[in-house]
């Protein structure tokens, strides 16, 4: 199958509670994940909610990463959407499992955007404008 | 099942080519979608790549929306991640299908973050910090 976009869903259960509260720390963790997978970071946007909870997105040349935390449930949902080839999702995933201290992580991979063109033609790297 | 987060994947095939190129226009389309679903917009981040292609994220109180376009394939991938109840995903979806002029749209809904708590307790609205 020839696809344009990889969608990685990482559900992190039983995380370290304190980590889930700290937007600055989470931003660093996500930027590190982006680097580890080989992505080129373009921008980021992190926000802390009341009474708690952090949401963040990292725009990359290869699409984006996102994270949302639920401190009251020790849960964080991380999403990678990446195009192109050679992204090391596993490396980034391992880092985030450790970073969030998740004792029960889950990861799935889906493909989106199926085209009638050879995979080699579909996978190219855009230049950050 | 009691879940924290809804994941809506909207794959828009056979879109209007010109629309896929214009970051400002796409931002407006996505902000409108956020409003139509009943979300509260916190921030947004849109970027145009070279030679073409737009990526954007909209942070909402209920998590985030994202869009990535492939003008060369007339394809756009839209993602909603929302928590809480009462989000009108369908309304936002219909708007975006029309906005992008997609002749072949596809939508799926997944749930993430399963907790041992009654759904009513899980669904609450955070306040934008």
């Amino acid at each position: 199958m020839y696809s344009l976009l990889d969608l990685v869903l990482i559900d992190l259960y039983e995380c370290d509670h304190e980590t889930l509260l700290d937007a600055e720390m989470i931003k660093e963790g996500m930027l590190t994940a982006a680097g580890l997978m080989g992505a080129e970071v373009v921008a980021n946007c992190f926000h802390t909610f009341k009474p708690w909870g952090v949401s963040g997105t990292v725009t990359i040349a290869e699409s984006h990463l996102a994270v949302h935390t639920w401190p009251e449930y020790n849960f964080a949902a991380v999403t990678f959407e990446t195009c192109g080839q050679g992204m090391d999702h596993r490396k980034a995933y391992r880092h985030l499992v450790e970073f969030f201290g998740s004792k029960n992580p889950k990861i799935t991979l889906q493909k989106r955007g199926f085209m009638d063109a050879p995979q080699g033609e579909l996978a190219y790297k855009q230049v950050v404008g």
Side-chain angles (χ1 to χ4, degrees), chain A:
Chain A
M1 286 282 236
Y2 302 134
S3 59
L4 291 172
L5 188 64
D6 284 351
L7 173 69
V8 177
L9 303 181
I10 299 169
D11 291 350
L12 299 168
Y13 292 87
E14 298 172 48
C15 290
D16 171 68
H17 181 78
E18 292 305 309
T19 306
L20 300 177
L21 296 165
D22 189 335
E24 271 309 303
M25 205 169 140
I26 290 168
K27 178 171 89 174
E28 290 312 311
M30 291 296 287
L31 291 176
T32 298
L36 287 170
M37 80 171 67
E40 181 182 352
V41 175
V42 174
N44 72 79
C45 178
F46 280 76
H47 191 87
T48 305
F49 290 91
K50 288 193 168 93
W52 46 59
V54 171
S55 283
T57 61
V58 179
T59 305
I60 55 177
E62 299 80 359
S63 293
H64 80 279
L65 316 182
V67 60
H68 301 289
T69 75
W70 284 259
E72 67 277 31
Y73 295 114
N74 295 332
F75 177 77
V78 174
T79 306
F80 302 158
E81 291 201 34
T82 68
C83 59
Q85 310 242 5
M87 289 285 107
D88 196 335
H89 297 131
R90 197 175 185 81
K91 204 173 197 178
Y93 165 67
R94 283 178 172 155
H95 158 73
L96 289 172
V97 169
E98 186 178 342
F99 174 84
F100 282 106
S102 169
K103 297 188 180 61
N104 187 8
K106 305 189 185 303
I107 183 170
T108 62
L109 170 64
Q110 302 176 38
K111 304 275 184 178
R112 299 174 69 180
F114 298 99
M115 299 293 150
D116 293 324
Q119 187 71 54
E121 278 182 30
L122 291 181
Y124 68 95
K125 187 168 162 66
Q126 286 166 305
V127 173
V128 175

